[in-house]
Structure formats: structure tokens, C-alpha cells
């Protein structure tokens, strides 16, 4: 008897290397063992998923063509054909199989035998665990199929805007989700009406004056006029729409179209993102609008891709794009997907980072516009394009193809007090760590978060991205929405748990392994329990709303909502620092969480791990004012108003 060696490896690969997942290595022979022994001569399992969830799936690669073997879990045969089979001669690289529905949480043996064989020849361990996330779209009343009727044939599959905000001041987050062929939907949060512990949502689109807004590609809720309620900007394939919330004025939520009077919406482009931030420090939110190709980037096609910078002058917007570089080769003309205002060098003003798509060589690299302060003339402002020097504008390869960036997330991954960047891609994802001197270094491969190839040897493609502490253990994890560009081959999401120096893929054990066409995504705490949930829109497929079921230990948390007074009302651009006695020093950069085409719930969220007390909590407001707060109790959502 020759004993095998069981290995727990990463499920979905990284970079351009073939994906490795849980598997076994052994030489031929007989015998049996729970660690993966050869039982009789025959096929063996080379790689397989170490953990999954009830009703989930398992990837299996064997040393013989997958079509020539049978697979069983504790004697129950896996359904055939596989959900997806890998490429290669004879499906050499295996396939993804649905697990039998009757299998519950527990430890199992995953076994293989020759097709028609009398006995298993090899087995490895498989753990079926309770999922961290469960789709509750139907249970909350948010379920819808993304309507793409009338979408022009051959155009990009990426218009899936969505966002959360408390539009009626009742303390919970309402939801707006876009469609293409019909109007977007405004869903009011009515609290837990049926006693299942989850909020129930009611559609109020027409009642709130939002009927008829179709071709939605980006959504953002902000208080652009500083009156105390959240207004709505809808980016479209077409003219954008800005709607003022009348809750403060009338006592009831309702939206009025102010696009024309505010100076927005005249151009018909495909807006994929909107970045709000007070770049000139005057106390109101300015706007950068991110545009991609009108249809799909091809040689000779109409692009209409120029981005726009607008200065907010008391609720009316003046285009000041000319204050950026407007030359033909400027990043302003790239194919943009997402952007954020962030003080990347911690010098006290808001810089602008834009994630661009370099597809087909028609776009350009990512952009970083450094804020260099007022110009010489009244209203003039100075921005310097430093993307290449800062390591954000990753150069094209020898073929002219560069990074095809899409979604963007910001957070302090390494606890050094500076903002780091994560962005999605066609192929390997990226994590750029801030050097603290205005530049970034690429830590993608070193931290194991790239996922260039799926286990079944198809290219990974991701869109929206979140840096968030999904398990409240005081560090930031990564979520990527997976989906194809322009075909029907679905792709799984990715959840990567932060374990210090490395990220570990826990997609399958978290319950996020279902294949789909994920695009936009937004963060929210649906039930106010201090554990972050998320909603992801899928092109031409049902919306998924994932409720966080508190994985692992009962960690503590703190939420911080900010209200600016002398700064912009939403306090975007603030920096919140939290410390506990034994945990890491955490820094939250207060942004709208752009992700992709989305606006997450505003506020800073801190996982505290086992800490039961906070030692320090400090807010630096956008105008530079520093406010030290008395340490609050844990496990609450704290509202902080800027001091006079």
C-alpha cells in the first residue's frame, strides 16, 4: 500500500498559471485511506475542491479524461454532464459538477472509478460547510431579472447600475436598480414585515417620480446640494439624469428632475461611473463622469468616450474639463469604467483615480490626476497627470494591449494609513499597495489574489470589486463579481479572505460559487447586524442579494456615519482612524464605494475581531479639521456630526 498526500491549495488559480485546487498526489498501488489512498488500480483524483456548501458544486480533475470516469460523494454519484468541462484533449482538465441535493453539512469522501467500474480506485476528503452568504433576493422582495430588451446587438454587456441609500431618513437603506429595456426600479425598505429577520422592500418607482429612466449603467446617491437628503444621479447609455430628493423640503421622499438646471445630461454617452468629491475644498461635492465606448470598442466604431469634470457652484455644475489635460492622447479620452476622489498622498486634498479599459488598444491606461491646488485665475485649478510615475497607469505590452481595468475599490489593506487600490480585469486582478510617497507598488501576485485562470482553464473576467471586512476580523477581504464580456459562458464570483500576507480563495465554501454574468455590485448592511451584505447585478439574469451569515467567530464591529457641516454634508473625503488595544490600527477612507456602476451604503465599517473596547477613534474631515472622539461602545452604528 502506498499512502497519498492530501493538499489544500487555492481553488481558482492566480496570474496566468493553471489553477490549483485541493487535490492529492500519490503513486500507483492499492489500499485505502481518508487522506486519499489508491484503493485499486484505476483513475485518481489529481485536484478537487476542498470545501463547498449544500447544493453547491465541486471541481474535479482526474488523471484520465473526465468523460471516462465516474465520481461519487459517499457513494452518491455526481450528476452528469458537468456544469462546465475544461478544455484540452479528452477534457484532461476535469469539470465542475453539481453536488447531490441530499448532501448536508459534514465531512465526506469524494471518490473516482473507471466508468462502469465495480469499485472506487481513489478518494480524497471533501468538507461541505454552512455558507457564509445566502442569496435573499426573493425573500426581501428585491428579485428581478435584468431587462436587456432593446439592447443593440453587438454592444457591451455592462449596463447594470445599482445603489443603496436612506432616501427617507428612517435609518435603513433603500435600493435603486437599473434596467436597459424598462425603467430602473426604486425599492423602499419597509423593515422586517414577515418576521424572517430580513427587511422587505416595496417598489415605489412611479410614486417617487422615477418612472421612465431606462438604459441605466451607473447609479450614485449623494447629497449634492447639501440640504440633508440623498439625491440620485443615474448614468445612462444616453443622457444622464440628476434628480433632487424632496424629503427635506416636503417631509416625504420624492424626486424631481433637475438635470437641465444643474447643467448636466446634455451629452448622450455611455456613463459607467460617477466620482463625487470636493476637490476645491469649498464644502460642496464636485463631479467627475466616467464614460466608455458608446457601443463596443472596435476599430472604426464611434466611441464618444471623453470623461467630464464638473465644479459644483452651489448645486449647479460648471464643466471644467479643460482644467485637466484635454489633448488627443490624454487619459480624459480613455475608455473609463470607474473612478474615485481620494487623497492618495495624504497631503490634504482630493486626488482623482480613474480605472480605464485598454481593450483593442483603443483606450488607455488608468489615470491618476494629482490635485495641485488653485490656479492663477479665479476658479482655475491645477491637476497633474501622474498615473505612470505613480505606478497606477500600467503600461501596455508589446502588442499594444494594456490592463483592461473595470471595477475599483479603495482601502488600507496593510494598515499603514495610506489608501491601497484593487481593481478588476480581463484576466488577472490587481492589488496596488501605497508606498506612502505618492506612488504604488504591484502586490497582486505576491498576495495571491490574481485569479488569472479558472480551474477549468477558462480565462477569469471580473467586474465590480469590494475591499471589505466580510468576517469582521479587522482586515480587508476582497470580492470580485465574475462575468463574461460578450458571450454566454458564465463565470463565478471570487471571495478572497485576507490572512495577513496572503489572500486565500474561499469562494466555494462561502456559497458564492454559482456561475453567472456579474457586473455592478454594491455593499450594504441589510439587517443592521454589523456584518456587511452585498447585491450584485447580472446581465440578463436575476439580481443576487447576498446576506452575510456571520462566518466564523462572533467578532465585534463598529459602523461610523459622518455628517459634515463646514465640509460637504456627506463628508466624502474624510479619513477615520480606529485603534483597539491589541488589534491593528485601521484607516477608513470615506468614499462612495464605487465598485462598478454602483454606490454602496455610505459610512465606515470596522471589524474589530475579538476586541471588546475601542482605544481611539479620530475623524479628519475633508477641510482638514481633526476631531478626536471619546471611545464608543462596540457593536453599534455611530453617527458623528462635524464639530463647529
Amino acid at each position: 500500500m502506498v499512502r497519498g498526500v492530501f493538499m489544500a491549495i487555492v481553488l481558482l488559480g492566480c496570474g496566468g498559471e493553471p489553477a490549483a485546487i485541493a487535490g492529492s498526489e500519490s503513486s500507483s498501488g492499492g489500499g485505502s485511506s481518508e487522506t486519499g489512498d489508491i484503493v485499486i488500480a484505476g483513475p485518481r483524483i489529481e485536484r478537487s475542491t476542498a470545501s463547498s456548501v449544500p447544493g453547491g458544486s465541486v471541481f474535479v480533475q482526474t488523471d484520465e479524461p473526465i468523460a471516462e470516469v465516474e465520481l461519487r460523494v459517499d457513494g452518491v454519484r455526481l450528476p452528469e454532464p458537468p456544469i462546465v468541462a475544461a478544455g484540452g484533449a479528452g477534457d484532461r482538465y476535469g469539470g465542475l459538477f453539481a453536488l447531490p441535493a441530499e448532501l448536508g453539512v459534514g465531512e465526506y469522501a469524494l471518490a473516482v472509478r473507471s466508468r462502469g467500474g465495480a469499485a472506487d480506485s481513489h478518494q480524497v476528503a471533501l468538507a461541505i460547510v454552512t455558507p457564509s452568504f445566502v442569496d435573499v433576493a426573493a425573500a426581501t422582495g428585491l428579485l428581478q431579472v435584468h431587462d436587456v430588451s432593446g439592447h443593440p446587438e453587438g454592444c457591451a454587456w455592462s449596463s447594470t447600475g445599482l445603489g443603496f441609500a436612506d432616501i427617507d431618513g428612517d435609518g435603513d437603506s433603500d435600493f435603486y436598480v437599473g434596467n436597459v429595456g424598462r425603467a430602473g426600479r426604486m425599492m423602499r425598505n419597509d423593515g422586517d414585515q414577515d418576521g424572517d429577520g430580513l427587511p422587505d422592500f416595496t417598489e415605489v418607482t412611479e410614486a417617487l417620480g422615477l418612472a421612465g429612466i431606462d438604459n441605466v449603467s451607473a447609479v450614485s446617491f449623494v447629497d449634492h446640494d447639501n440640504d440633508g437628503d440623498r439625491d440620485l444621479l443615474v448614468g445612462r447609455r444616453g443622457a444622464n439624469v440628476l434628480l433632487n430628493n424632496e424629503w427635506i423640503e416636503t417631509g416625504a421622499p420624492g424626486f424631481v428632475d433637475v438635470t437641465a438646471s444643474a447643467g448636466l445630461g446634455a451629452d448622450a454617452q455611455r456613463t459607467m461611473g460617477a466620482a463625487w468629491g470636493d476637490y476645491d475644498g469649498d464644502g460642496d461635492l464636485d463631479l467627475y463622469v466616467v464614460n466608455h465606448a458608446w457601443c463596443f470598442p472596435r476599430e472604426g466604431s464611434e466611441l464618444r468616450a471623453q470623461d467630464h469634470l464638473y465644479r459644483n457652484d452651489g448645486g449647479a455644475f460648471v464643466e471644467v474639463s479643460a482644467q485637466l489635460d484635454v489633448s488627443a492622447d490624454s487619459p480624459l479620452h480613455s475608455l473609463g469604467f470607474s473612478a474615485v476622489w481620494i487623497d492618495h498622498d495624504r497631503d490634504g486634498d482630493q486626488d482623482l483615480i480613474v480605472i480605464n479599459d485598454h481593450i483593442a488598444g483603443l483606450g488607455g491606461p488608468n489615470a491618476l490626476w494629482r490635485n495641485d491646488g488653485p490656479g492663477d485665475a479665479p476658479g482655475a485649478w491645477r491637476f497633474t497627470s501622474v498615473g505612470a510615475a505613480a505606478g497606477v497607469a500600467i503600461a501596455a505590452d508589446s502588442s499594444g494591449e494594456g490592463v483592461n481595468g473595470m471595477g475599483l475599490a479603495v482601502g488600507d489593506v496593510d494598515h499603514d494609513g495610506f489608501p491601497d487600490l484593487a481593481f478588476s480585469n480581463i484576466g488577472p486582478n490587481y492589488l496596488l499597495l501605497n508606498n506612502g510617497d505618492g506612488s504604488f507598488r504591484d502586490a497582486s501576485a505576491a498576495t495571491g489574489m490574481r485569479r488569472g485562470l479558472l480551474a477549468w482553464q477558462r480565462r477569469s473576467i471580473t467586474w465590480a470589486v469590494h475591499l471589505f471586512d466580510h468576517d469582521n476580523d479587522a482586515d480587508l477581504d476582497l470580492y470580485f463579481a465574475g462575468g463574461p464580456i460578450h458571450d454566454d459562458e458564465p463565470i463565478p464570483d471570487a471571495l478572497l479572505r485576507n490572512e495577513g500576507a496572503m489572500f486565500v480563495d474561499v469562494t466555494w465554501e462561502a456559497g458564492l460559487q454559482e456561475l453567472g454574468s456579474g457586473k455592478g455590485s454594491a455593499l450594504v448592511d441589510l439587517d443592521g447586524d454589523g456584518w456587511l451584505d452585498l447585491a450584485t447585478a447580472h446581465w440578463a439574469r436575476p439580481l443576487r442579494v447576498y446576506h452575510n451569515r456571520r462566518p466564523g467567530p462572533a467578532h465585534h464591529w463598529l459602523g461610523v456615519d459622518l455628517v459634515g457641516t463646514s465640509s460637504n454634508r456627506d463628508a466624502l473625503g474624510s479619513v477615520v482612524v480606529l485603534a483597539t488595544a491589541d488589534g491593528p490600527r485601521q484607516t477608513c477612507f470615506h468614499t462612495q464605494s464605487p465598485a462598478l456602476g454602483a454606490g454602496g451604503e455610505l459610512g465606515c465599517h470596522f471589524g474589530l475581531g475579538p476586541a471588546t473596547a475601542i482605544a481611539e477613534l479620530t475623524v479628519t474631515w475633508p477641510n482638514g479639521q481633526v476631531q478626536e472622539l471619546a471611545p464608543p461602545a462596540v457593536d453599534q452604528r455611530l453617527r458623528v456630526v462635524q464639530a463647529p
Side-chain angles (χ1 to χ4, degrees):
M1 177 176 70
V2 179
R3 184 171 298 276
V5 180
F6 184 78
M7 304 183 298
I9 315 177
V10 178
L11 176 64
L12 291 174
C14 64
E17 297 300 316
I21 58 179
S24 62
E25 291 183 347
S26 60
S27 56
S28 60
S32 65
S33 166
E34 64 181 7
T35 58
D37 288 343
I38 299 296
V39 178
I40 60 173
R44 68 183 181 93
I45 297 172
E46 294 189 327
R47 300 185 302 159
S48 65
T49 311
S51 302
S52 191
V53 297
S57 57
V58 58
F59 178 81
V60 186
Q61 177 184 318
T62 58
D63 65 346
E64 296 184 9
I66 202 72
E68 297 177 13
V69 304
E70 298 175 7
L71 299 166
R72 287 173 169 77
V73 176
D74 272 19
V76 181
R77 188 167 176 179
L78 297 187
E80 294 181 348
I83 300 170
V84 61
D91 291 336
R92 171 68 177 77
Y93 290 106
L96 183 69
F97 292 83
L99 286 169
E102 61 268 32
L103 296 178
V105 172
E107 299 291 331
Y108 296 90
L110 171 63
V112 64
R113 68 177 65 175
S114 297
R115 187 167 294 274
D120 299 331
S121 55
H122 190 210
Q123 64 181 26
V124 297
L126 171 65
I128 299 181
V129 301
T130 302
S132 304
F133 290 89
V134 174
D135 187 353
V136 296
T140 55
L142 293 178
L143 182 63
Q144 71 155 36
V145 175
H146 181 234
D147 186 334
V148 299
S149 57
H151 186 257
E153 184 177 353
C155 287
W157 294 3
S158 54
S159 296
T160 55
L162 69 168
F164 288 96
D166 181 3
I167 63 168
D168 49 11
D170 63 355
D172 53 32
S173 284
D174 309 293
F175 182 58
Y176 184 87
V177 58
N179 287 291
V180 175
R182 61 187 172 102
R185 303 172 70 212
M186 186 74 233
M187 308 297 292
R188 185 185 65 219
N189 188 330
D190 289 332
D192 184 7
Q193 300 292 307
D194 54 12
D196 65 353
L198 295 168
D200 297 291
F201 289 80
T202 301
E203 183 168 357
V204 290
T205 308
E206 293 192 11
L208 297 191
L210 295 172
I213 305 175
D214 59 4
N215 285 293
V216 175
S217 52
V219 170
S220 57
F221 284 100
V222 295
D223 187 359
H224 84 91
D225 53 4
N226 280 342
D227 68 349
D229 53 27
R230 293 268 158 74
D231 310 304
L232 174 61
L233 176 68
V234 181
R236 303 177 61 246
R237 185 179 186 273
N240 297 334
V241 181
L242 179 65
L243 302 118
N244 274 8
N245 190 345
E246 299 292 294
W247 175 62
I248 290 295
E249 291 83 351
T250 66
F255 291 88
V256 175
D257 188 340
V258 294
T259 312
S261 61
L264 299 175
D267 296 319
Q269 295 179 273
R270 183 162 66 95
T271 294
M272 294 305 304
W276 296 89
D278 185 7
Y279 76 78
D280 54 3
D282 65 351
D284 56 25
L285 290 173
D286 310 301
L287 172 64
Y288 185 86
V289 176
V290 188
N291 295 307
H292 202 279
W294 176 243
C295 180
F296 194 86
R298 294 184 176 90
E299 286 290 345
S301 66
E302 183 182 14
L303 296 181
R304 303 191 197 178
Q306 180 180 326
D307 297 346
H308 301 280
L309 175 63
Y310 297 94
R311 186 184 66 232
N312 188 338
D313 287 346
F317 292 88
V318 177
E319 182 165 5
V320 291
S321 302
Q323 296 184 3
L324 303 172
D325 177 10
V326 295
S327 64
D329 57 352
S330 167
L332 196 71
H333 303 294
S334 294
L335 305 174
F337 266 116
S338 49
V340 68
W341 291 98
I342 187 84
D343 186 3
H344 86 285
D345 49 9
R346 298 300 305 270
D347 66 349
D349 54 29
Q350 298 297 296
D351 311 300
L352 177 65
I353 294 173
V354 186
I355 299 301
N356 289 320
D357 186 0
H358 212 171
I359 193 165
L362 297 175
N366 301 330
L368 170 53
W369 299 96
R370 189 184 65 216
N371 188 336
D372 288 332
D376 296 330
W381 213 261
R382 294 177 298 142
F383 294 94
T384 303
S385 178
V386 296
V392 173
I394 300 172
D397 59 24
S398 58
S399 69
E401 190 66 49
V403 172
N404 305 121
M406 291 175 280
L408 169 65
V410 175
D412 185 7
V413 174
D414 52 3
H415 303 292
D416 66 351
F418 284 84
D420 307 308
L421 311 175
F423 60 92
S424 56
N425 188 29
I426 301 173
N429 301 312
Y430 279 85
L431 176 65
L432 304 183
L433 298 183
N434 197 315
N435 292 318
D437 60 0
S439 69
F440 295 82
R441 66 187 183 277
D442 185 353
S444 312
T447 56
M449 53 72 67
R450 302 212 75 187
R451 199 182 89 160
L453 288 175
L454 304 173
W456 44 95
Q457 299 300 287
R458 298 295 197 273
R459 180 176 58 179
S460 172
I461 303 170
T462 53
W463 298 79
V465 56
H466 301 302
L467 272 166
F468 74 123
D469 192 354
H470 92 282
D471 49 7
N472 279 343
D473 66 348
D475 57 27
L476 296 178
D477 310 300
L478 271 166
Y479 166 86
F480 291 93
I485 299 172
H486 203 186
D487 58 51
D488 292 322
E489 184 172 313
I491 294 173
D493 294 344
L495 181 65
L496 306 168
R497 186 177 62 222
N498 188 336
E499 295 195 349
M502 296 289 292
F503 287 90
V504 175
D505 195 320
V506 294
T507 309
W508 260 243
E509 66 187 70
L512 297 174
Q513 80 288 348
E514 186 177 353
L515 306 186
S517 186
K519 299 294 189 294
S521 184
L523 290 173
V524 64
D525 183 359
L526 279 171
D527 49 3
D529 65 351
W531 294 72
L532 290 175
D533 315 299
L534 58 95
T536 300
H538 286 247
W539 181 264
R541 292 169 179 252
L543 175 75
R544 297 179 190 171
V545 180
Y546 288 114
H547 181 233
N548 190 333
R549 297 301 171 95
R550 306 186 181 193
H555 290 148
H556 298 286
W557 57 277
L558 180 74
V560 180
D561 292 324
L562 301 175
V563 180
T565 54
S566 53
S567 297
N568 68 87
R569 177 87 181 190
D570 284 336
L572 294 179
S574 298
V575 179
V576 184
V577 176
L578 178 147
T580 59
D582 300 317
R585 186 180 184 85
Q586 299 185 60
T587 303
C588 168
F589 299 92
H590 184 47
T591 73
Q592 69 204 62
S593 301
L596 176 71
E601 193 173 63
L602 294 185
C604 286
H605 176 89
F606 297 96
L608 304 178
T612 58
I614 293 167
E616 173 192 343
L617 186 63
T618 302
V619 180
T620 301
W621 298 91
N623 64 358
Q625 177 186 354
V626 178
Q627 189 170 344
E628 296 184 6
L629 305 170
V634 302
D635 298 336
Q636 64 162 319
R637 192 154 181 169
L638 184 69
R639 186 174 185 264
V640 179
V641 179
Q642 186 175 10

